[in-house]
Amino acid sequence: MNTNVFRPIKRGIAWGVTLALSVGGVRAADREAAARSGRDAVLSEIRARCAGGGGPKVNYRLFPLPPGAVRPTGWLNDWARAAAEGITGHLDERADVFKHGYGGYHFDAQGVKANGTGWPLEQCAYWLDGLVRLAYILNDPALIAKARSRLDPVVDGVNGGGESFVYWQPRDILVAEMDKANGLFNNWAHSHMGRALVAYYQATGEKRILDALVKVYRDYPLPEFQAGFYPVNGMVNLDPMLDTYMMSGDEAILANALGAIRRPNFQKIVDQWNGGEISHGHTVIFYENVRVPALMYPWTGDRRLLDATLMVLDWAERLHGLPMGLVSGEEYLAGIGATRNVETCNVAAGPWTFHWMLRVTGEGGWADRIEKVFFNAGPAPIARDFQTMSYYQCPNRLSMSMPVDRPKNPSQEMGDSYSFTPIGHPVLCCVGNCNRIIPNYIIGMWMAMADGGFAATQYGPCSMRGTVADGVAVEIGCETAFPFQDEIRFVVRPEREATFPIGFRIPRWCRDPSLDVNGQAVESKPDDMGIAKIHRSWRSGDRITLRLPMHVEITRGTETPYPQDKYFRKRSLSALTEIHNPFACVTRGPLLFALPIADGGPNEPVKDAVFSYAIDPATARDAKVVRAPMPAHWSWELDAPIRLEVPAVRFDWQPTELQPLPAEPVAAGKPAAITLVPYGCTKFRVSMFPVAAE
Ligand SMILES: [Zn+2]
């Protein structure tokens, strides 16, 4: 053990200044050309590894592209720029955790240990992971300089003799037996920095970053896995480890991963999950841990591993699924209800798991789930100008006091879980994690296909640039206001005429898709993975139009009691062991719709808003679609480009903490019509509606 590798950087050095000059000194075009060739090389390396010796036993069908290969345009670019100019680009100016985190020295903040490890490692790494991805996606010099100034000390620290991504300290601090105070936690937080460094390498192709990843992950101390979703667990390092293996081919890394899952304890957990023996726990840990067995499925060919993950995801969705596409989490899995919450950390963690499931299985349905989260749960906890955010969101946020913010543990007593503030909450996980939501979506919009072309996997306005398998560079522009419109128009620009396949994910909610090339209809029937492929010779300027007609759908369900976990005992609603309140939700394509309660900002609902409506599932399906032009600048305003006019019933409704929805279908009321907007545009709303009696 070399104890001299921990070389603290002096506090007070102006982060980023020198690097900003050197990065700024390189012409933007040169920097972009270097990054582009780096990205192409990284992707070729991964493809070669997976196709040749040392590849997986079950082949991947889809490979993610490096940050920067897909650039947002249109409304998505407006939102990504708001992040760059808001929280993502300036979080270090708002809290010490982000100012000093990953500096390599101790500082005062909540949850910091004497050796400088602890909570800020996790919180700051979330931010850095989002920051480095967005920086290269937008090719933004200031963001790139800031990300490099934070990540380079870690890379250099490891290459200079360090052993981990936790301030490049000796790896003993990752082992619970060696660092009793914090070994488990450090190991978990380490995985988040591992992901940030994987993205940094993929975006730049700089070998020194890969060297650091290989050095740390080849004999990384993976801990014993655990069946329940508490406490945190360092096995989640498997995802950056597998990426590092695919990029480097260093066999010690794969051997390390395979060794960890051969342990009897791991195999026992896989059997338990497959047998439906699953216990409740913390939702962030659930989303992180649940993917672990599936990650190893391609490398073992052992179908039990994939099935274990699928079993637990399905279990959670059934018992805790909320209409914005995620399971509830008031720290812990919290059942189904109009005032149950989604922690903003899970708006990042959930789609990251679904993205890995898309990679592992090639099944397009996972991208359906990512879109549902991104377009609904994504914008809800973030202010329209991206300057403030909140820790929780819930289906029915009616006012500043409903749902009631109930302190449940000492850390939450310090702050409010629903108010929008520059850091969201004194516990800084969510304000770190909210920066990952947009870049991870953009990176996943296109993926490389195993047979050489590219697939459009998640929709929205963007442009993609990559190299098809035989070395021809191609750019594909995608012009659309999806999901606010049904039509998506692509222009293909290969550098010379070339033959390759382009795939298009057909969402499961779409019953009658259509595809045409230069005005001629082509086959739009998806394959067994939900992808429709066009394989032909492409010339620059070829146009493809994809139409994904959307229909209004009504889903019904009933609220459920909280899991009887002592964690919830301070919430009065959790004392009820019987809850069957019926509800109905309105969706169209990937969008969840809500009755908006107008606001003057995310903490300013209008007074006396009327929201006392029930909907009849049989008639609500006849909703009328009302369209308005897309605004010149997109900010998720209530004045939405698509609205639904829905028949409803007005009735006397006084929701309370213990009775968030009526216990029975509403029999008495006056017919009315209500206008719904996308859930993501609202800050106060009803999206789990009382049900009208037929
Ligand atoms: Zn959080």
Side-chain angles (χ1 to χ4, degrees):
M1 184 179 82
N2 177 356
T3 49
N4 294 324
V5 294
F6 180 46
R7 292 185 214 96
I9 293 177
K10 274 208 194 89
R11 196 192 276 237
I13 289 177
W15 285 106
V17 172
T18 43
L19 275 146
L21 290 173
S22 65
V23 169
V26 180
R27 282 197 317 120
D30 293 345
R31 186 181 63 240
E32 172 53 14
R36 186 187 294 159
S37 76
R39 288 198 300 268
D40 284 350
V42 172
L43 181 59
S44 317
E45 183 77 19
I46 292 171
R47 274 183 147 146
R49 182 92 46 234
C50 289
K57 293 204 161 74
V58 180
N59 284 330
Y60 290 89
R61 296 198 192 197
L62 296 169
F63 303 96
L65 302 182
V70 182
R71 302 213 187 277
T73 58
W75 74 259
L76 188 52
N77 187 54
D78 290 343
W79 198 27
R81 287 293 340 160
E85 283 146 30
I87 295 171
T88 307
H90 298 279
L91 194 47
D92 52 329
E93 297 153 28
R94 298 179 176 203
D96 275 357
V97 161
F98 306 104
K99 186 173 182 184
H100 300 302
Y102 280 100
Y105 48 77
H106 174 77
F107 61 95
D108 291 325
Q110 199 188 359
V112 182
K113 300 290 171 185
N115 62 358
T117 66
W119 285 13
L121 297 175
E122 174 203 41
Q123 297 163 349
C124 195
Y126 285 147
W127 172 55
L128 292 171
D129 185 41
L131 174 69
V132 70
R133 289 166 195 264
L134 191 67
Y136 285 97
I137 285 170
L138 295 176
N139 194 24
D140 179 307
L143 258 55
I144 290 173
K146 193 172 274 192
R148 292 182 83 100
S149 73
R150 302 309 180 97
L151 298 176
D152 282 346
V154 182
V155 171
D156 296 344
V158 168
N159 287 334
E163 295 179 345
S164 77
F165 300 140
V166 175
Y167 298 162
W168 52 100
Q169 291 204 41
R171 69 174 66 86
D172 285 359
I173 62 151
L174 304 169
V175 181
E177 292 74 31
M178 303 296 287
D179 185 337
K180 288 193 170 51
N182 225 30
L184 271 181
F185 189 89
N186 292 340
N187 205 322
W188 146 270
H190 189 276
S191 75
H192 308 316
M193 180 50 94
R195 290 169 210 173
L197 294 175
V198 164
Y200 187 23
Y201 172 63
Q202 291 180 336
T204 60
E206 290 175 19
K207 189 173 170 295
R208 64 194 181 88
I209 306 167
L210 184 60
D211 290 345
L213 281 159
V214 169
K215 183 173 177 205
V216 166
Y217 278 135
R218 74 164 22 144
D219 45 10
Y220 188 81
L222 286 166
E224 286 282 354
F225 197 41
Q226 84 237 348
F229 303 115
Y230 198 86
V232 293
N233 188 274
M235 275 292 272
V236 297
N237 280 277
L238 275 177
D239 93 51
M241 277 178 80
L242 289 171
D243 273 333
T244 301
Y245 171 68
M246 282 186 270
M247 297 181 306
S248 68
D250 189 289
E251 284 172 10
I253 297 172
L254 184 61
N256 187 3
L258 289 168
I261 67 160
R262 278 194 204 108
R263 295 171 188 157
N265 171 57
F266 186 91
Q267 293 296 326
K268 190 174 132 205
I269 292 167
V270 168
D271 288 340
Q272 285 173 352
W273 285 8
N274 272 306
E277 202 182 310
I278 307 162
S279 52
H280 292 273
H282 193 282
T283 309
V284 178
I285 302 168
F286 157 76
Y287 272 125
E288 289 286 331
N289 283 12
V290 69
R291 79 176 83 96
V292 165
L295 292 178
M296 294 306 293
Y297 164 60
W299 301 95
T300 56
D302 181 354
R303 175 78 207 194
R304 288 162 54 250
L305 300 180
L306 177 60
D307 287 343
T309 295
L310 293 173
M311 177 71 107
V312 178
L313 282 168
D314 182 59
W315 164 88
E317 190 62 35
R318 257 183 299 115
L319 298 182
H320 307 281
L322 293 180
M324 63 288 253
L326 291 161
V327 297
S328 61
E330 298 179 8
E331 305 299 333
Y332 282 58
L333 290 156
I336 296 170
T339 54
R340 307 303 162 85
N341 297 293
V342 165
E343 182 186 340
T344 301
C345 276
N346 292 318
V347 183
W352 187 247
T353 284
F354 302 154
H355 173 72
W356 265 103
M357 295 305 287
L358 178 64
R359 288 175 65 175
V360 165
T361 65
E363 161 61 58
W366 294 106
D368 293 5
R369 295 177 71 157
I370 294 170
E371 284 187 350
K372 189 171 179 186
V373 175
F374 184 66
F375 297 136
N376 300 302
I382 299 168
R384 298 182 180 100
D385 59 5
F386 225 110
Q387 293 294 337
T388 60
M389 54 80 62
S390 65
Y391 196 87
Y392 280 162
Q393 64 177 296
C394 67
N396 292 4
R397 185 186 182 213
L398 305 175
S399 68
M400 288 300 281
S401 56
M402 183 66 200
V404 185
D405 191 48
R406 313 151 202 83
K408 285 181 285 292
N409 64 30
S411 66
Q412 282 180 309
E413 273 157 22
M414 298 184 317
D416 182 320
S417 308
Y418 297 102
S419 291
F420 285 64
T421 79
I423 54 168
H425 189 280
V427 177
L428 300 172
C429 51
C430 289
V431 76
N433 246 327
C434 75
N435 306 293
R436 299 170 62 212
I437 298 168
I438 296 176
N440 279 339
Y441 184 82
I442 292 170
I443 290 167
M445 292 174 84
W446 283 90
M447 293 178 85
M449 294 191 291
D451 54 6
F454 292 96
T457 35
Q458 293 155 200
Y459 294 114
C462 67
S463 70
M464 184 276 290
R465 192 191 175 288
T467 305
V468 289
D470 56 359
V472 177
V474 60
E475 255 180 68
I476 305 179
C478 172
E479 199 184 300
T480 182
F482 187 92
F484 313 105
Q485 285 173 358
D486 306 2
E487 187 175 285
I488 306 168
R489 295 171 301 279
F490 302 88
V491 182
V492 186
R493 299 190 190 286
E495 62 184 354
R496 58 182 159 77
E497 186 171 345
T499 300
F500 56 89
I502 304 179
F504 301 90
R505 169 186 137 260
I506 305 298
R508 279 195 218 145
W509 47 255
C510 184
R511 301 194 285 264
D512 40 7
S514 73
L515 260 175
D516 70 50
V517 178
N518 299 328
Q520 301 287 312
V522 297
E523 179 60 70
S524 61
K525 196 168 156 356
D527 64 14
D528 57 337
M529 294 289 138
I531 309 282
K533 277 186 205 167
I534 308 177
H535 198 143
R536 54 172 269 157
S537 174
W538 299 99
R539 300 162 81 156
S540 189
D542 279 341
R543 290 175 182 278
I544 306 161
T545 304
L546 171 65
R547 288 183 197 84
L548 299 172
M550 301 179 193
H551 303 277
V552 174
E553 309 272 359
I554 312 294
T555 54
R556 302 184 62 162
T558 53
E559 293 193 297
T560 63
Y562 274 83
Q564 294 305 300
D565 189 309
K566 66 180 187 313
Y567 186 81
F568 296 116
R569 65 177 176 257
K570 285 188 181 164
R571 183 160 191 185
S572 46
L573 183 55
S574 72
L576 302 186
T577 52
E578 289 282 323
I579 302 179
H580 304 286
N581 310 325
F583 66 83
C585 295
V586 182
T587 60
R588 186 177 180 278
L591 290 177
L592 173 68
F593 280 78
L595 176 69
I597 293 170
D599 67 79
N603 299 325
E604 297 167 52
V606 295
K607 286 196 173 59
D608 307 320
V610 177
F611 54 76
S612 307
Y613 297 97
I615 61 172
D616 173 354
T619 59
R621 209 168 275 115
D622 303 328
K624 189 176 147 210
V625 177
V626 180
R627 295 183 178 281
M630 285 295 285
H633 180 87
W634 181 256
S635 62
W636 297 98
E637 290 292 337
L638 279 179
D639 191 10
I642 179 162
R643 285 168 249 180
L644 299 180
E645 282 180 5
V646 178
V649 173
R650 186 163 173 183
F651 72 109
D652 182 27
W653 181 26
Q654 307 294 336
T656 64
E657 155 80 355
L658 288 177
Q659 192 74 57
L661 290 173
E664 302 288 340
V666 176
K670 257 182 23 196
I674 53 176
T675 301
L676 311 186
V677 303
Y679 172 92
C681 294
T682 64
K683 295 300 173 226
F684 299 88
R685 87 282 293 185
V686 176
S687 67
M688 266 192 181
F689 289 90
V691 176
E694 284 170 36

